[in-house]
Amino acid sequence: MSGTLPVLIAGRALQGVSAAMIPLAIGMIRDTFPAERVTTAIGIVSATMGVGGSAGMIVTGLIAARTGSHHPVFWIAAALAAAGLVLVAATARDVGVRAGGRPDLPGAALLAGWLVCLLLGISQGNAWGWTSGGVLALFGAAAALCAVWVAVELRVRAPLVRLGLLVGPRSLSANVVSALLGFSMFAAFTLIAGFVQARPEEVGYGLGGSVLDVGLYMLPSTVTMLLFSAMAGRLAARLGPAYTLAIGSAFAGLCYAWLAVSNSHVYDMLAFSAIQGIGFGIAYAALGTLAVRHVPMDQSGIASGINSLVRTTGGSVAGAVTASILAGRAAGAGVPPSAPTSCASGSSPRGRRWPPSSPSRTPCATPGRPRPAARALDEPAPRHAL
């Protein structure tokens, strides 16, 4: 129902509440599943994020080919959320121990405050200047609010984030890896979506695809993520979750190395997608197990929630950092400052390195102003892309 940007942002903030679903599901898995099946179950649940993301891109592409409005996408999401609520109410059984507690509203406000300051400073660094008063003030405010947040979390009886589970000796490594994997995954979403849609004849790089093509390119990731997340339990049983996580991270790094070396053909994107699914399917299954195996049963949901929070924070930072880097590189190459610049990177299919040496205009969508979509792989260009 949003017609203005503030309403849209408010809706997106409410949508973020759904991020609690995965940690709660992992907590329920640990309460109800036999120990030998926990890693596999966690992996499959974690893989559903990638499956849903790929399906969402395909649905969004189909809608974008027929309308310039964003409303149908969110109406579909609202219907799916309602269906999910019915399924949870009908099938989920709470068999764990209830430890009690109450919302930590000051902690939530402080956490939101320092994250907003940090992300806003990163995203506006190129526009305002990295040494400008505004950016430095935002970074200073983020540091100050973070310090106050830590002090509050250490004193309240039921903190929003239990710092012992965030930076404790048994949790720190898993949370650091979670932040790094979240950063890499969400950075890839930002880069791939723009790179696939960029028109090489206009900007010298990209594949000239549509929003629908982005979803189709990510289908191999969906398949391999499901398959290898189901296999992760066997790997963890034989090697342990730490080595299993290392294997998944190695595959994740390999997919980005492939794309850095070769990105000018359709098969490059398909290979990247397939390898990425292998890496994240294995890594997230092992990571979910590492996050909860050292904590008491009644704290499984809390530990998983903290790990999910760290991953989401890494993803949020990735979006801001990626947009900032791309904007800076594009500005250095002569792209007009008014042109959107946060939607593509990499090498061009014709051997020219990104960014191009001559001024160009990046074919991104501007909020409130639909643009013509790039050509699809096998069909004429649709009317609009979101």
Side-chain angles (χ1 to χ4, degrees):
M1 295 182 291
S2 59
T4 61
L5 183 60
V7 177
L8 181 62
I9 292 175
R12 290 285 289 159
L14 292 174
Q15 193 177 27
V17 177
S18 63
M21 293 292 291
I22 296 297
L24 289 173
I26 290 175
M28 293 179 65
I29 286 171
R30 197 178 181 211
D31 287 338
T32 57
F33 276 65
E36 65 273 11
R37 295 177 58 194
V38 166
T39 300
T40 299
I42 289 176
I44 293 174
V45 167
S46 299
T48 58
M49 293 187 293
V51 174
S54 297
M57 284 300 302
I58 293 174
V59 172
T60 301
L62 292 172
I63 294 173
R66 292 162 176 78
T67 178
S69 173
H70 61 275
H71 293 99
V73 175
F74 291 118
W75 278 119
I76 292 173
L80 291 174
L85 179 62
V86 173
L87 287 173
V88 169
T91 63
R93 296 293 179 265
D94 187 5
V95 297
V97 177
R98 298 192 178 189
R102 58 183 180 180
D104 177 19
L105 298 180
L110 288 168
L111 176 63
W114 72 260
L115 283 176
V116 167
C117 291
L118 174 65
L119 297 176
L120 185 60
I122 293 173
S123 61
Q124 296 299 322
N126 284 312
W128 298 354
W130 289 101
T131 58
S132 65
V135 170
L136 294 178
L138 284 171
F139 287 151
L145 288 173
C146 182
V148 175
W149 173 72
V150 170
V152 169
E153 297 301 275
L154 289 173
R155 292 185 179 184
V156 297
R157 179 177 300 177
L160 176 71
V161 177
R162 298 189 182 183
L163 298 181
L165 296 178
L166 177 65
V167 296
R170 293 185 173 182
S171 305
L172 181 59
S173 58
N175 289 331
V176 169
V177 173
S178 182
L180 294 175
L181 287 175
F183 186 100
S184 63
M185 174 175 273
F186 284 91
F189 287 160
T190 303
L191 294 171
I192 297 304
F195 187 83
V196 169
Q197 295 178 80
R199 296 181 182 182
E201 67 274 12
E202 292 185 4
V203 296
Y205 59 90
L207 297 178
S210 67
V211 179
L212 176 59
D213 293 327
V214 177
L216 295 176
Y217 278 125
M218 297 309 294
L219 276 179
S221 177
T222 301
V223 176
T224 55
M225 185 177 288
L226 273 176
L227 290 176
F228 282 86
S229 63
M231 296 171 55
R234 298 177 184 175
L235 284 174
R238 178 172 298 182
L239 304 175
Y243 285 107
T244 304
L245 175 59
I247 292 172
S249 299
F251 274 100
L254 177 62
C255 75
Y256 297 116
W258 181 305
L259 209 57
V261 173
S262 178
N263 52 45
S264 58
H265 304 90
V266 169
Y267 63 76
D268 289 322
M269 288 295 170
L270 296 177
F272 159 82
S273 178
I275 299 172
Q276 183 194 49
I278 295 172
F280 284 109
I282 296 173
Y284 276 140
L287 193 58
T289 303
L290 282 173
V292 300
R293 72 171 182 170
H294 293 304
V295 301
M297 294 289 289
D298 62 339
Q299 296 184 21
S300 297
I302 298 173
S304 179
I306 291 174
N307 190 261
S308 179
L309 169 67
V310 172
R311 180 173 63 245
T312 303
T313 301
S316 299
V317 174
V321 170
T322 302
S324 179
I325 291 174
L326 294 181
R329 292 288 299 275
V335 177
S338 59
T341 57
S342 62
C343 66
S345 72
S347 304
S348 80
R350 292 172 173 77
R352 287 173 288 174
R353 301 298 298 174
W354 186 91
S357 57
S358 60
S360 60
R361 186 171 296 273
T362 307
C364 303
T366 302
R369 186 190 307 168
R371 63 160 177 83
R375 292 166 301 162
L377 294 176
D378 57 355
E379 63 182 318
R383 288 187 299 151
H384 293 97
L386 292 179

